[in-house]
Amino acid sequence: MNLKKLFLAAAVMLPGAMMAQGQTDWSKPMTDRFDLHGYAQAGYNYQNQQSGDVSTYKLYRVLFWVNGNITDRWSFRFMHDFSSVPQEFFTSYRISDGKQLNVRFGQFKHGFSLENQLSPTKQELISVCSQSIAWLTACGGDPLTGVQYGRDLGLEVFGEVLDSKLVYTLGLMQGAPINKVDNNTEKDFIGKLDIRPMDGLRLVTSCYLGTGHALAASAFNPGIAAGDDYTRNRYSAGFEYKSEPFNLRAEYLSGKDGKAKSQGWYATALVPVMKDFDVIASYDYFDKNVDMKVDQTNFTLGVQYWFYKGCRLQLQYTGCDCQAEKNYSMLQAQVQVAF
């Protein structure tokens, strides 16, 4: 059985397996089994760039989602960004009695990299993603892939073993733009290992192995034309450490699109200086094609104030050192309201 048939068979059999084993108390009111969440992020952005200064208010995201527990093992999520498109719709089933083995089918944030899994409501930077994550998870920038928001349609197996000190993810993903049918016959493999040797520390490595279908030509990868299928592989290794004095997250990422290699790394630190008030610093380097030397380095310094649970004010300055274009800087402010 080829991968496409296996993928389809798993999707068809999954609901039946859930109904056969899951249990729930249907006497409970619907509100006890469904949770509604949402957040909005909006602010101001000033940027002095080569083509002219930009001064604008921005609506970054307006997301609502519902989590539902259909049985004690079977759940689902639907998420919509009202500033863009529906982003997630998936169902998950817990096969084991504990957390060791779970399966998920639908459209969701895939497992490549450490940072891609983090919610924008928890990330330190107003721009959210590092350059490497934005490019290599198709959150924006690469004409070959378009914008996929770090998500994909597919089938994923995940779980926690060794007293939750090892978290694993294995996925067979479509590799096409979200909310679209597949644009080639290949499926992409994503694997991630998340090792947690002590409280507050995570060591994460992941890979993405697959075949892309170019949506448009890219000046950073002239060997691939629009409509071409090409090898699309990615690798990452990083860590995250959280403590009362400070939080630190760093990651190295590399990609291979056809013959073009890209690579980058980032390190982001958060230091609480008083109750609900944090100082943030970040270093972010990325080269879209190491042979063309089109690297860019961003230095960010900022502050944030949490004025209510899930709600904050942020102010950040970013200096951008570019090889391919004129250097520029940004001043950003954002308010976040979440529930």
Side-chain angles (χ1 to χ4, degrees), residues 26-305:
W26 295 104
S27 64
K28 290 184 178 181
M30 188 75 72
T31 53
D32 288 351
R33 292 186 287 113
F34 294 85
D35 297 320
L36 180 65
H37 302 274
Y39 71 88
Q41 293 176 323
Y44 172 78
N45 181 47
Y46 174 80
Q47 183 172 325
N48 62 337
Q49 56 190 21
Q50 188 173 2
S51 58
D53 292 358
V54 173
S55 175
T56 181
Y57 293 111
K58 292 189 69 174
L59 179 63
Y60 293 97
R61 299 162 195 88
V62 181
L63 282 92
F64 286 91
W65 67 96
V66 56
N67 294 327
N69 294 312
I70 302 172
T71 73
D72 60 341
R73 293 175 180 258
W74 182 15
S75 63
F76 77 90
R77 173 181 291 181
F78 174 79
M79 174 186 287
H80 182 70
D81 185 349
F82 287 89
S83 66
S84 58
V85 296
Q87 293 198 356
E88 295 184 4
F89 37 88
F90 64 84
T91 184
S92 299
Y93 184 71
R94 178 169 54 84
I95 297 174
S96 60
D97 291 335
K99 298 180 180 180
Q100 297 90 344
L101 184 59
N102 307 267
V103 63
R104 175 179 297 147
F105 177 72
Q107 183 169 284
F108 47 84
K109 274 195 172 185
H110 58 66
F112 176 68
S113 86
L114 190 163
E115 193 176 60
N116 186 51
Q117 292 291 305
L118 302 179
S119 167
T121 62
K122 305 295 184 182
Q123 289 184 255
E124 301 85 358
L125 301 185
I126 294 174
S127 54
V128 179
C129 294
S130 67
Q131 297 178 86
S132 305
I133 299 296
W135 189 269
L136 297 175
T137 66
C139 287
D142 187 356
L144 298 180
T145 58
V147 180
Q148 300 175 19
Y149 304 99
R151 292 170 168 85
D152 201 355
L153 179 65
L155 183 67
E156 183 179 79
V157 176
F158 62 98
E160 302 179 12
V161 295
L162 303 177
D163 295 326
S164 297
K165 293 187 181 299
L166 177 63
V167 180
Y168 69 91
T169 300
L170 301 171
L172 189 63
M173 313 304 295
Q174 184 151 276
I178 62 172
N179 306 320
K180 304 289 185 182
V181 298
D182 205 350
N183 48 22
N184 60 31
T185 59
E186 305 297 328
K187 296 294 176 283
D188 298 345
F189 171 78
I190 297 178
K192 182 171 72 173
L193 289 178
D194 185 342
I195 304 170
R196 304 176 179 184
M198 55 183 285
D199 289 345
L201 178 62
R202 299 172 59 196
L203 307 174
V204 180
T205 183
S206 66
C207 68
Y208 182 117
L209 308 174
T211 301
H213 182 84
L215 301 181
S218 171
F220 303 105
N221 198 335
I224 300 173
D228 286 353
D229 286 345
Y230 62 96
T231 300
R232 181 174 61 192
N233 296 334
R234 283 97 171 81
Y235 306 92
S236 77
F239 74 91
E240 181 179 61
Y241 178 69
K242 291 187 175 182
S243 65
E244 288 189 10
F246 69 93
N247 297 344
L248 177 63
R249 183 174 68 256
E251 195 168 12
Y252 169 82
L253 303 101
S254 67
K256 192 73 177 293
D257 296 282
K259 296 181 179 180
K261 180 183 178 181
S262 57
Q263 67 174 354
W265 49 87
Y266 70 87
T268 300
L270 179 149
V271 180
V273 293
M274 62 181 68
K275 180 177 172 57
D276 301 322
F277 187 86
D278 308 316
V279 172
I280 294 164
S282 179
Y283 171 89
D284 179 13
Y285 170 89
F286 184 61
D287 193 338
K288 299 181 179 71
N289 187 326
V290 297
D291 294 325
M292 298 176 66
K293 298 188 184 302
V294 287
D295 57 288
Q296 176 173 325
T297 304
N298 296 345
F299 304 90
T300 300
L301 184 64
V303 294
Q304 66 181 15
Y305 171 66

